[in-house]
Amino acid sequence: MINNRSRGAVGLMSRLFVSIFKTLWYLLVAFVVGTFGIVLCLKWVDPPGSAVIMTWELDAGRSAKHRWQPLEKISPQLQIAVIASEDQKFPEHFGFDFSSIKSALTENDGRLRGASTISQQVAKNLFLWNGRSYVRKALEAWYTLLMELLWTKQRILEMYLNIAEFGEGVYGAQAAAQVFFGNTALNLNARQSALLATVLPNPKVMLVARPSDYVNKRASDISRLVWQLGGTGYLIKLDEPQ
């Protein structure tokens, strides 16, 4: 009797384990297929916003300033300025700059700060919520890999320049150009582009409209970095295979 009960309990546990395993497997497959499909669609379809933009609108109770522009209607000066400022190895890496990650870990006592590539920033701003957690970081890495696999570098840069925050409630190059310079994204000059690139790490503190001494100095530094990269000619590298 005891043996029969023991065997029955073992059999029940085995079936339960198999059932849980199958459920988790189906969920994983659904997640992989679903996220792959979404990222593939966004290779051609321009999103109306991003997770970060929608979060801001919910918190603020009003619409953000945001207007999509294709990459060819965004000044090459701004394109190269954000690359010089945020991710100089953008044309070369596959979503992760491991040398920068190593440096960031060393400089920040093991905390990973300031090492995000343009691709990683697109992943977290487009798809994910604000905050810090291992789950979010893992999802960011997954979406980064999918984008690098399915999109061109130009598409990643285009997405970045259309969802990046340049000021309180101001998202994307076109809205930033209109709000801060009364201009269009296509007609931004080198200085204006450097100022916009400067505030990207923290546009709520560093202001384009009232640049501090630090912002002005940092914009000048970015201009020098652009020159060192070879100016807008560096953008040709985006066409080269990795």
Side-chain angles (χ1 to χ4, degrees):
M1 180 71 70
I2 294 176
N3 288 339
N4 289 338
R5 287 180 178 176
S6 299
R7 284 195 294 270
V10 171
L12 179 62
M13 291 298 293
S14 297
R15 289 192 296 273
L16 180 61
F17 176 80
V18 170
S19 177
I20 292 173
F21 178 81
K22 285 183 177 179
T23 300
L24 293 175
W25 174 253
Y26 292 145
L27 288 173
L28 177 61
V29 170
F31 170 78
V32 170
V33 172
T35 52
F36 184 95
I38 290 170
V39 175
L40 181 61
C41 286
L42 289 173
K43 180 177 182 178
W44 302 285
V45 178
D46 300 331
S50 70
V52 167
I53 294 174
M54 287 188 288
T55 299
W56 185 90
E57 291 178 332
L58 287 172
D59 292 341
R62 59 188 175 91
S63 297
K65 294 180 176 67
H66 174 250
R67 183 180 173 187
W68 185 274
Q69 286 290 89
L71 191 62
E72 60 268 21
K73 290 188 177 181
I74 298 176
S75 171
Q77 296 289 350
L78 182 58
Q79 296 179 40
I80 187 59
V82 299
I83 290 174
S85 173
E86 297 293 300
D87 186 3
Q88 294 179 29
K89 296 179 181 178
F90 176 63
E92 304 165 8
H93 61 62
F94 199 73
F96 305 94
D97 183 355
F98 292 105
S99 60
S100 293
I101 291 173
K102 182 179 179 180
S103 297
L105 287 171
T106 302
E107 294 171 5
N108 296 312
D109 297 323
R111 293 171 294 179
L112 190 57
R113 293 181 182 176
S116 291
T117 62
I118 285 175
S119 304
Q120 289 174 277
Q121 292 180 54
V122 171
K124 63 185 179 184
N125 291 337
L126 183 60
F127 298 110
L128 304 175
W129 62 93
N130 290 321
R132 296 178 182 274
S133 70
Y134 290 115
V135 171
R136 183 178 178 277
K137 205 66 183 175
L139 289 172
E140 177 190 309
W142 171 246
Y143 278 113
T144 298
L145 288 172
L146 286 180
M147 290 189 306
E148 288 282 348
L149 177 67
L150 298 173
W151 298 357
T152 62
K153 286 291 186 178
Q154 289 91 340
R155 180 57 170 170
I156 295 173
L157 183 60
E158 179 181 56
M159 194 72 71
Y160 178 77
L161 289 171
N162 274 286
I163 66 174
E165 183 181 12
F166 291 98
E168 184 66 31
V170 181
Y171 293 88
Q174 180 68 7
Q178 290 174 338
V179 169
F180 300 121
F181 305 114
N183 205 345
T184 65
L186 180 60
N187 293 317
L188 289 167
N189 61 35
R191 178 61 181 176
Q192 292 168 341
S193 297
L195 282 170
L196 289 174
T198 296
V199 305
L200 282 171
N202 195 345
K204 291 181 174 63
V205 174
M206 294 184 284
L207 306 178
V208 177
R210 299 188 303 278
S212 64
D213 291 342
Y214 171 80
V215 169
N216 281 316
K217 181 181 182 303
R218 176 60 181 159
S220 297
D221 291 341
I222 289 174
S223 296
R224 280 194 293 273
L225 289 171
V226 167
W227 178 80
Q228 290 171 5
L229 289 175
T232 56
Y234 188 77
L235 298 172
I236 296 175
K237 290 180 174 288
L238 300 181
D239 296 319
E240 298 175 357
Q242 297 176 52

